[in-house]
Amino acid sequence: MATTAQLFEEPFDADEYIERLAWRTPGGGSKGGAEAFDPKRLLEEFKNHIRELRQLDEKIQRKVERLEHQCHREAKEFAHKVQDLQKSNQVAFQHFQELDEHISYVATKVCHLGDQLEGVNTPRQRAVEAQRLMTYFNEFLDGELRSDVFNNPDKIKEAADIIQKLHLIAQELPFDRFADVKAKIASKYHDLERQLIQEFTAAQRRGEIGRMREVAAVLLHFKGYAHCVDVYIKQCQEGAYMRNDVFEDTAALCQKVNKQVGEVFSSPETVMAKLIQNIFENKLQAHVREKLDETQHSDVEQYLKNLYDLYTKTTALATKLTEFNLGSDKHTFLSKLIKNIFSSYLESYIDMEREYLRTRGAMILQRYYDSKNHQKRSIGSGSIQELKERIRQRTNLPLGPSIDTHGETFLSPELVVNLLQETRHAFERCHRLSDPSDLPKNAFSIFLLLVENLCVDHIDYALEIGLAAIPSSDAKNANLYFLDVVQQANSIFHLFDKQFNDQLMPLISSSPKLAECLHKKKEVIEQMEVKLDTGIDRTLNCMVGQMKHILATEQKKTDFKPEDENNVMIQYTAACSKVCSYVRRQVEHVRKSMDGKNVDTVLTELGVRFHRLIHEHLQQYSYSSMGGMLAICDVAEYRRCAKDFRVPLVLQLFDTLHALCNLLVVAPDNLKQVCSGEQLTNLDRNLLHAFVQLRVDYRSARLGRHFS
């Protein structure tokens, strides 16, 4: 049976069960195992196992019946117990209701009795109190205070309670009949009030918080309670300001007092607010006036720094004080205190800021020009200057005498840093000291001063001087410094733009002044770009003029028509060498002076003009066969020089020019084929013909027929 039970292990599978049973039977496996398959033996084993299963089933069934019977019996017993408990609970609930009704009845009687006792006791207490007060009042009428309560210093608290009540009663009495007693009561009232304040002061000096709390509670009903608070505020400030930093001392004092007022006074938030108001209206205001009034007219720079520093420290202190309980609207309370201190200074702040920036900017500029021994020229204004500017922009002609700056750009990074630094400080002060509604307007006015000092009086002036210093295009050995002006002006404007984005934009980004600032900035940029473009264009003309001068002085007619065709030993002409050397220096100069796409733009223009000059120059000569080869060598060198431009268009132009020069040496019978080549096929036939006409054998070889 144990074996059978083992076969019923979970999870039960009938097929698996039969397989395991057959496997355990000798000769009953599907393959027979070590013994041959014996169906009879397997059948016998199955019959025995079925019999065992029936016995097991009967045994389990008997056990189930026994357990079911036991369960029914215990269920009946549990039901009887539950019924008994329900009956007991009903009885207990009835008893509870009866007890509750009885308690309610007794409580009603007790309340009624208490009301009756109170109705009797209250008038009695009032009568006793009235009798007691009348007794003390009689002593004042008699003029002799005999009661111990008025003569014993230890009973000052009880005496204060009595005299406070007598003082209230005396105020209701007619003056003509009780003038004398009213005066005596008032005198005693003030005398006790003074004693209590003295006692409070002494306790504060001794640090007895408990005694201070008791006296303050008594004085709460006296008129002198406010005076008690004033004395407390005055005394707690004694010795508190020992350091040089009044703001740190104030924060430490308030932190210390805040813990104490909650233990002493019944309304600590009122006392704390009064302490802070007293400090702001006396200590801080006196400190601010001392710092600002001494520099307001004598040193504006120090005055603005002090104003910014003091206002920043005061607002930081106010932020710290908001952690204390000062009433319902502590932020408005502290803002009013700050406004009362600084309002007179803030009203005139922006005017002084603008005047300081204007004066400071002029001083920085003048100091720079004095260091250069330069007398600043008047640029001019009005219709005549505007007319000159328009003529110069359209014709590119220098109007007025050219000046020699000796390589000076009249642009100073140090000066620019100083101006931007002053403006940055001004923006910081403006942000802190301006009213939020006036902030965009004030920031814009500071920006206009920066434009005036930096862009107009410095950069624009340097551009004007630079333009005037550019020599004419036919000048010889001219020094071209305008590109240095361009480089420095570009660097300076990057700094200007950075300050615009970092300092100004946050102050005006959400106001209508943003559009005005952007328009002004765009206007300044456009004005400078016009002058920069004009100067660069004239500088390029000077470069081309210098190349033209080199070619005119160095290039000989015999270079391309040598007397001895068989004895030419040079790779390229001296003129070509000097021009390429000059061009390479100028290309490097342009790269150092420009940035971004401006480099490619300027080099493209210079390369196009360089190509045009060489193209026109080559058309001035006649070429023999060897001279044509030398011209090709020159153009090849020019092409190598053009690679330094790193501009595809310029290289393409010189490639085409090189192909054109091949027409100077190609055999007459091959001219038509060369002209149809890839680089020349799209060119104008007249241009090709013009180059062929430069050959010395043009007429003798009848080369013109190839273009008829």
Side-chain angles (χ1 to χ4, degrees):
M1 294 299 291
T3 302
T4 303
Q6 291 177 3
L7 294 173
F8 282 101
E9 292 178 357
E10 293 292 340
F12 178 75
D13 184 352
D15 293 336
E16 180 66 21
Y17 176 77
I18 297 298
E19 282 293 330
R20 283 189 290 166
L21 180 61
W23 178 76
R24 291 187 179 190
T25 303
S30 59
K31 295 183 179 179
E35 301 179 15
F37 178 68
D38 188 355
K40 290 182 179 181
R41 191 171 184 179
L42 183 60
L43 176 62
E44 184 64 28
E45 182 63 26
F46 278 175
K47 288 179 179 180
N48 292 336
H49 195 72
I50 290 171
R51 189 167 50 253
E52 289 178 1
L53 289 175
R54 285 175 180 171
Q55 292 174 1
L56 180 61
D57 180 63
E58 290 174 359
K59 183 179 179 180
I60 292 174
Q61 188 63 34
R62 285 194 300 271
K63 187 176 181 179
V64 169
E65 289 176 356
R66 185 173 66 254
L67 291 174
E68 286 180 348
H69 179 71
Q70 183 180 351
C71 182
H72 287 311
R73 187 178 68 253
E74 290 179 357
K76 289 180 181 180
E77 292 175 359
F78 181 74
H80 288 307
K81 287 181 180 180
V82 170
Q83 289 178 356
D84 293 340
L85 289 174
Q86 286 180 341
K87 291 178 181 179
S88 299
N89 184 56
Q90 288 179 353
V91 173
F93 183 71
Q94 290 176 355
H95 290 167
F96 175 76
Q97 283 185 325
E98 292 174 359
L99 182 61
D100 184 58
E101 291 175 357
H102 188 64
I103 291 174
S104 298
Y105 175 76
V106 172
T108 302
K109 288 292 185 181
V110 170
C111 289
H112 179 66
L113 181 60
D115 291 340
Q116 289 181 332
L117 289 175
E118 185 179 2
V120 173
N121 189 52
T122 300
R124 178 179 175 280
Q125 287 182 340
R126 290 176 180 172
V128 170
E129 180 69 16
Q131 183 183 11
R132 188 168 67 95
L133 291 175
M134 289 174 65
T135 302
Y136 295 132
F137 189 78
N138 285 333
E139 293 184 13
F140 281 98
L141 280 174
D142 297 340
E144 184 180 356
L145 300 179
R146 298 178 297 276
S147 299
D148 182 58
V149 70
F150 293 121
N151 299 308
N152 189 347
D154 296 333
K155 295 185 177 181
I156 189 172
K157 181 178 178 181
E158 184 180 350
D161 180 62
I162 294 170
I163 200 66
Q164 193 268 338
K165 292 177 180 177
L166 289 176
H167 186 261
L168 292 176
I169 294 172
Q171 291 179 353
E172 302 296 329
L173 298 176
F175 181 79
D176 53 349
R177 293 176 56 191
F178 298 97
D180 185 53
V181 70
K182 290 177 71 170
K184 292 177 181 179
I185 292 174
S187 175
K188 188 63 177 177
Y189 177 90
H190 294 303
D191 183 52
L192 278 174
E193 188 178 65
R194 179 179 51 79
Q195 292 181 39
L196 287 169
I197 292 175
Q198 290 176 349
E199 176 64 23
F200 181 88
T201 304
Q204 184 178 0
R205 290 200 177 107
R206 295 191 300 269
E208 298 177 358
I209 302 299
R211 184 57 180 164
M212 291 170 63
R213 182 171 55 250
E214 292 177 6
V215 176
V218 175
L219 277 170
L220 182 62
H221 304 291
F222 280 76
K223 294 180 180 179
Y225 178 73
H227 182 59
C228 171
V229 173
D230 293 338
V231 170
Y232 172 78
I233 290 173
K234 180 181 178 182
Q235 193 161 314
C236 69
Q237 293 183 60
E238 293 178 358
Y241 293 92
M242 303 299 293
R243 294 176 290 184
N244 292 328
D245 195 337
V246 66
F247 299 97
E248 289 294 330
D249 289 338
T250 298
L253 172 63
C254 291
Q255 189 71 40
K256 175 184 174 182
V257 172
N258 183 62
K259 299 177 180 178
Q260 194 176 80
V261 293
E263 300 175 359
V264 175
F265 298 99
S266 59
S267 55
E269 69 279 357
T270 305
V271 178
M272 198 68 197
K274 196 168 184 179
L275 167 65
I276 292 174
Q277 182 177 357
N278 180 273
I279 293 173
F280 269 72
E281 292 179 351
N282 295 285
K283 202 73 178 178
L284 292 185
Q285 190 161 20
H287 177 71
V288 169
R289 285 178 178 173
E290 178 186 359
K291 289 287 186 181
L292 295 181
D293 290 353
E294 65 183 4
T295 58
Q296 187 170 10
H297 302 292
S298 59
D299 189 348
V300 178
E301 179 181 7
Q302 190 60 45
Y303 167 79
L304 291 172
K305 290 180 179 178
N306 289 345
L307 177 60
Y308 174 78
D309 184 55
L310 291 170
Y311 189 83
T312 301
K313 289 183 176 180
T314 305
T315 52
L317 174 63
T319 302
K320 291 181 181 179
L321 297 180
T322 54
E323 67 184 56
F324 305 131
N325 183 10
L326 305 177
S328 58
D329 198 359
K330 52 189 173 184
H331 294 284
T332 303
F333 169 70
L334 291 170
S335 297
K336 287 182 178 179
L337 293 179
I338 295 174
K339 185 177 181 180
N340 290 338
I341 295 176
F342 291 97
S343 59
S344 60
Y345 302 105
L346 297 181
E347 287 174 358
S348 59
Y349 154 69
I350 194 61
D351 294 331
M352 297 190 71
E353 184 73 80
R354 284 197 296 260
E355 184 60 30
Y356 166 73
L357 285 177
R358 188 177 293 108
T359 305
R360 180 68 175 171
M363 186 193 74
I364 292 173
L365 288 166
Q366 189 58 47
R367 187 169 58 192
Y368 167 71
Y369 294 122
D370 289 344
S371 69
K372 299 295 181 180
N373 293 321
H374 174 74
Q375 182 65 37
K376 196 171 182 182
R377 301 175 60 195
S378 177
I379 299 301
S381 60
S383 58
I384 296 178
Q385 180 66 21
E386 293 173 1
L387 178 60
K388 286 183 177 182
E389 185 65 26
R390 285 198 296 270
I391 294 174
R392 184 170 62 185
Q393 292 175 14
R394 294 189 179 185
T395 63
N396 206 17
L397 295 175
L399 300 178
S402 175
I403 63 174
D404 186 2
T405 61
H406 303 287
E408 180 60 56
T409 63
F410 291 102
L411 288 171
S412 168
E414 181 182 356
L415 178 148
V416 172
V417 169
N418 288 337
L419 287 177
L420 292 176
Q421 185 79 351
E422 292 290 347
T423 309
R424 182 176 69 83
H425 292 322
F427 280 133
E428 290 174 352
R429 290 192 291 264
C430 178
H431 188 199
R432 175 68 67 180
L433 302 176
S434 295
D435 186 88
S437 60
D438 295 331
L439 177 58
K441 178 183 65 176
N442 293 346
F444 180 62
S445 65
I446 293 174
F447 171 68
L448 292 180
L449 286 172
L450 175 63
V451 170
E452 183 68 24
N453 290 330
L454 179 61
C455 299
V456 177
D457 290 344
H458 190 57
I459 302 177
D460 190 70
Y461 177 74
L463 293 178
E464 287 288 347
I465 295 295
L467 286 171
I470 297 175
S472 61
S473 59
D474 55 354
K476 300 176 182 179
N477 299 320
N479 292 319
L480 303 176
Y481 297 112
F482 191 79
L483 290 181
D484 297 331
V485 177
V486 173
Q487 178 187 9
Q488 293 189 24
N490 192 39
S491 300
I492 291 170
F493 196 79
H494 281 316
L495 297 175
F496 170 79
D497 190 55
K498 186 176 188 303
Q499 184 167 85
F500 181 90
N501 294 323
D502 295 347
Q503 302 288 328
L504 179 60
M505 284 295 288
L507 307 183
I508 61 170
S509 58
S510 57
S511 75
K513 286 293 180 182
L514 174 61
E516 291 186 49
C517 286
L518 293 174
H519 176 73
K520 185 63 178 178
K521 179 185 172 186
K522 181 182 178 183
E523 180 181 309
V524 170
I525 293 174
E526 289 175 349
Q527 289 175 355
M528 288 199 295
E529 283 181 345
V530 168
K531 293 181 180 180
L532 288 170
D533 291 344
T534 301
I536 291 171
D537 187 60
R538 289 173 56 190
T539 300
L540 295 181
N541 282 344
C542 288
M543 292 179 183
V544 174
Q546 188 69 19
M547 296 179 216
K548 187 181 294 186
H549 174 70
I550 294 173
L551 292 172
T553 56
E554 299 292 334
Q555 195 84 72
K556 300 179 178 58
K557 290 186 177 181
T558 58
D559 286 344
F560 303 116
K561 216 166 36 170
E563 296 177 358
D564 187 356
E565 292 277 334
N566 298 318
N567 193 25
V568 178
M569 304 299 293
I570 59 175
Q571 295 180 341
Y572 41 80
T573 64
C576 172
S577 176
K578 290 186 177 182
V579 167
C580 288
S581 176
Y582 177 80
V583 170
R584 287 190 175 98
R585 290 198 305 272
Q586 301 311 315
V587 169
E588 187 63 26
H589 197 181
V590 170
R591 290 195 183 281
K592 290 181 179 179
S593 304
M594 305 287 175
D595 60 359
K597 296 181 179 179
N598 293 329
V599 177
D600 292 339
T601 302
V602 174
L603 288 180
T604 299
E605 183 63 27
L606 177 60
V608 170
R609 296 187 188 190
F610 175 38
H611 167 266
R612 184 185 305 121
L613 173 66
I614 300 302
H615 186 277
E616 293 173 354
H617 173 72
L618 291 174
Q619 290 182 312
Q620 298 175 7
Y621 299 91
S622 296
Y623 299 88
S624 64
S625 177
M626 184 54 65
M629 292 299 296
L630 195 56
I632 291 175
C633 291
D634 276 5
V635 173
E637 182 63 18
Y638 290 137
R639 184 172 61 175
R640 278 193 292 274
C641 180
K643 289 181 179 179
D644 293 343
F645 286 73
R646 302 174 198 167
V647 178
L649 174 62
V650 176
L651 189 58
Q652 180 184 352
L653 290 174
F654 277 94
D655 285 341
T656 303
L657 183 59
H658 188 270
L660 280 171
C661 288
N662 286 331
L663 298 177
L664 301 175
V665 298
V666 71
D669 295 337
N670 295 332
L671 268 178
K672 194 168 185 179
Q673 180 183 354
V674 173
C675 290
S676 302
E678 181 181 353
Q679 290 183 316
L680 301 180
T681 185
N682 295 324
L683 295 182
D684 186 3
R685 302 288 288 179
N686 294 329
L687 176 61
L688 300 177
H689 191 194
F691 255 83
V692 173
Q693 285 178 327
L694 301 176
R695 294 169 58 136
V696 294
D697 61 349
Y698 173 74
R699 294 187 182 279
S700 61
R702 298 176 61 196
L703 299 180
R705 58 189 174 82
H706 295 285
F707 297 92
S708 59

